[in-house]
Amino acid sequence: PGNVALTPPLSLAALVVLDGKTTLAVKRSPENGGDVEYTDAATLRADFATEKLHPGDLKPAVVAALQQTLLSAAANPIHAPPAAYAKVAKGHLAAIKAFVKKMNKAAKK
């Protein structure tokens, strides 16, 4: 508890869940302060650092939020024209080829 630098669920919440559109709902018993919702990563980190938020309460909240986020993304796929997909794929392929070529050159030296 309190280790903000080495807590993967905290990092996941900050990067994926708290995107400005989503809140992180932490369910906990009244003895532990009751339920709380976070809308920004700074407040979440501050509460974790001061041990107002326990890892045992954070982890299930992050798992639930990630599941909701992933299910929502799967249910509402991006509707882009196939040409747009091809353009993006071509750009990624070119970047990968350039990287491999650079690595091969470096390996020969």
Side-chain angles (χ1 to χ4, degrees):
N3 187 348
V4 177
L6 297 173
T7 305
L10 190 61
S11 299
L12 282 170
L15 291 173
V16 179
V17 179
L18 299 173
D19 59 1
K21 303 174 200 167
T22 311
T23 60
L24 178 65
V26 178
K27 307 280 186 202
R28 51 189 189 179
S29 65
E31 301 88 44
N32 292 326
D35 296 347
V36 65
E37 289 188 352
Y38 293 95
T39 56
D40 65 283
T43 306
L44 178 67
R45 287 180 199 270
D47 280 2
F48 192 82
T50 59
E51 298 183 8
K52 289 181 185 176
L53 178 61
H54 190 274
D57 296 325
L58 175 65
K59 291 173 188 175
V62 171
V63 168
L66 285 173
Q67 286 174 336
Q68 181 61 34
T69 302
L70 293 173
L71 289 175
S72 175
N76 301 311
I78 298 171
H79 297 288
Y85 288 126
K87 186 176 180 181
V88 169
K90 187 176 180 181
H92 287 304
L93 182 59
I96 291 169
K97 284 181 178 180
F99 177 76
V100 169
K101 187 176 180 180
K102 182 179 177 181
M103 291 292 100
N104 285 337
K105 269 188 175 179
K108 289 179 182 179
K109 289 184 179 182

